[in-house]
């Protein structure tokens, strides 16, 4: 029988959370999808250590944590580029590594991209809520289940469920390409925009990702959009990728932890794949947006 892997949070990093499978059946109860923001990188990390898709990973934002690991394990880091050290030895990105016995794992600041993912071979022994360990913000209830990691917390991983790790193909062993140009899909209230605003989006606009942006929503600073007249929208369904026109004319894109209904006009949408790409865009970086032609 393999020994349990014990992990202590020496330093939590800037914003480090467990993320696993989205809550696909909670929308009727007002519960967001959640799950890994960059789902592609999370899947790659789990594949590298032989875990099933949807196994919890640690999602790190801008600056990773420092972990003390007791027990032998396989691990892999994908997503944003950052330095990873096992004790004093550097560990390469997007490759399966092995820890024998114990080690201190240290992550540096991200030099490219915004979110990185750590997978460890085996099953994390952590709490779930509605079938997922991913935290989600609910009104008056804070983060459920555990929220961001805290210094001194301890967790365990059962390695018995781990299978033989598989390697990514050589062309996959690179950081995700950071996409900066996006073609949008017209939304239900697209026709509410003035002709000028629609023409601007047809031609393409440049926006800056605001520092207010997070896993719930991306606020974009740039050319303002205008509605053709006063419209009133009853709170309606939204999904990750929905782009709303805010009252001040700025655009707000709903992301993986967004609420399930909203009252702002839904003028466009990012594709599902693009939501995953957007996870690697940092606040202050520029995006070029155009509306897709039918």
């Amino acid at each position: 029988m393999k020994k349990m892997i014990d992990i202590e949070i020496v330093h939590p990093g800037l914003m480090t959370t467990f993320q696993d499978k989205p809550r696909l059946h909670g929308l009727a109860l007002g519960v967001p999808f959640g799950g890994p923001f960059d789902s592609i990188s999370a899947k790659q990390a789990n594949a590298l250590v032989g875990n099933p898709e949807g196994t919890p990973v640690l999602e790190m934002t801008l600056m990773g944590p420092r972990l003390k690991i007791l027990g032998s394990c396989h691990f892999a880091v994908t997503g944003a580029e950052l330095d990873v050290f096992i004790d004093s030895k550097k560990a390469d990105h997007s490759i399966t590594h092995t820890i024998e016995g114990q080690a201190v794992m240290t992550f540096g600041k991200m030099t490219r991209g915004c979110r990185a993912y750590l997978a460890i071979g085996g099953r994390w022994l952590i709490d779930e809520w509605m079938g997922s360990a991913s935290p989600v913000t609910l009104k008056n209830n804070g983060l459920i289940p555990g929220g961001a990691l805290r210094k001194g917390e301890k967790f365990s991983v059962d390695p018995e469920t781990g299978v033989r790790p598989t390697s990514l193909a050589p062309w996959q062993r690179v950081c995700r390409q950071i996409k900066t140009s996006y073609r949008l899909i017209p939304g239900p209230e697209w026709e509410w925009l003035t002709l000028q605003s629609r023409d601007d989006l047809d031609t393409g606009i440049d926006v800056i990702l605001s520092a207010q942006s997070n896993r719930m929503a991306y606020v974009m600073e740039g050319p303002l959009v205008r509605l053709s007249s006063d419209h009133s929208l009853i709170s309606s369904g939204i999904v990750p990728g929905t782009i709303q026109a805010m009252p001040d004319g700025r655009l707000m894109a709903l992301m993986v932890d967004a609420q399930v209904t909203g009252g702002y006009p839904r003028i466009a949408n990012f594709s599902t794949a693009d939501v995953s790409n957007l996870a690697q865009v940092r606040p202050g970086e520029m995006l070029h947006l155009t509306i897709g032609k039918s």
Side-chain angles (χ1 to χ4, degrees), residues 80 112-114 175-180 182 277 280-281 285:
R112 182 171 174 270
C114 189
C175 182
R176 292 281 308 282
Q177 182 68 33
I178 309 258
K179 187 176 178 181
T180 57
Y182 292 86
N277 288 318
Q280 297 302 346
V281 180
E285 292 183 337

Side-chain angles (χ1 to χ4, degrees), residues 233-249:
L233 178 67
I234 297 174
S235 189
S236 302
I238 52 178
V239 295
T242 298
I243 301 174
Q244 297 177 307
M246 298 170 67
D248 61 6

Side-chain angles (χ1 to χ4, degrees), residues 11-78:
H11 187 282
L14 185 61
M15 178 65 177
T16 306
T17 58
F18 285 108
Q19 299 292 339
D20 57 356
K21 48 194 175 297
R23 294 180 176 86
L24 300 179
H25 306 294
L27 298 184
L29 301 174
V31 179
F33 284 111
F37 201 158
D38 182 350
S39 60
I40 296 172
S41 292
K43 289 175 185 177
Q44 288 181 337
N46 272 323
L48 282 167
V49 297
N51 285 342
E53 183 179 320
T55 299
V57 293
L58 286 183
E59 180 180 276
M60 302 167 276
T61 304
L62 291 176
M63 184 176 72
R66 183 179 176 89
L67 310 174
K68 184 176 182 180
I69 299 178
L70 299 174
S72 299
C73 66
H74 297 298
F75 78 91
V77 178
T78 60

Side-chain angles (χ1 to χ4, degrees), residues 113-127:
C114 189
R115 291 173 176 86
Y117 295 83
L118 167 67
I120 293 179
R123 178 173 62 90
W124 287 89
L125 304 181
I126 53 178
D127 293 335

Side-chain angles (χ1 to χ4, degrees), residues 19-246:
Q19 299 292 339
D20 57 356
K21 48 194 175 297
R23 294 180 176 86
L24 300 179
H25 306 294
L27 298 184
L29 301 174
V31 179
F33 284 111
F37 201 158
D38 182 350
S39 60
I40 296 172
S41 292
K43 289 175 185 177
Q44 288 181 337
N46 272 323
L48 282 167
V49 297
N51 285 342
E53 183 179 320
T55 299
V57 293
L58 286 183
E59 180 180 276
M60 302 167 276
T61 304
L62 291 176
M63 184 176 72
R66 183 179 176 89
L67 310 174
K68 184 176 182 180
I69 299 178
L70 299 174
S72 299
C73 66
H74 297 298
F75 78 91
V77 178
T78 60
E81 290 180 355
L82 77 171
D83 288 334
V84 184
F85 292 92
I86 301 302
D87 294 327
S88 59
K89 184 178 179 181
K90 189 173 180 180
D92 291 334
H93 191 277
S94 298
I95 291 178
T96 307
H97 297 277
T98 301
I99 291 175
E100 299 288 356
Q102 67 179 59
V104 174
M105 182 183 295
T106 304
F107 296 87
K109 293 182 179 180
M110 297 177 191
T111 56
R112 182 171 174 270
C114 189
R115 291 173 176 86
Y117 295 83
L118 167 67
I120 293 179
R123 178 173 62 90
W124 287 89
L125 304 181
I126 53 178
D127 293 335
E128 292 188 352
W129 182 69
M130 292 187 67
S132 175
S134 300
V136 60
T137 301
L138 292 178
K139 191 173 183 180
N140 300 324
N141 285 296
L143 287 167
I144 301 173
L149 297 189
R150 297 180 294 274
K151 180 179 178 180
E153 285 187 303
K154 296 180 179 180
F155 302 94
S156 295
V157 177
D158 179 3
E160 287 295 319
T161 59
V163 297
R164 184 183 178 124
T166 57
S167 297
L168 295 179
W171 62 269
Q172 292 177 303
R173 294 175 185 170
V174 295
C175 182
R176 292 281 308 282
Q177 182 68 33
I178 309 258
K179 187 176 178 181
T180 57
S181 183
Y182 292 86
R183 189 171 293 277
L184 309 178
I185 304 163
E189 286 76 53
W190 166 254
E191 298 292 337
W192 288 15
L193 292 175
T194 63
L195 287 174
Q196 183 61 58
S197 290
R198 280 181 269 168
D199 286 343
D200 290 343
L201 280 164
D202 278 336
T203 303
I205 62 172
D206 291 326
V207 297
I208 300 293
L209 189 62
S210 167
Q212 300 175 33
S213 302
N214 52 39
R215 282 177 50 95
M216 295 184 70
Y218 274 11
V219 177
M220 293 171 279
E221 307 283 355
L224 303 180
V225 299
R226 301 298 183 193
L227 302 181
S228 56
S229 60
D230 290 334
H231 292 278
S232 178
L233 178 67
I234 297 174
S235 189
S236 302
I238 52 178
V239 295
T242 298
I243 301 174
Q244 297 177 307
M246 298 170 67

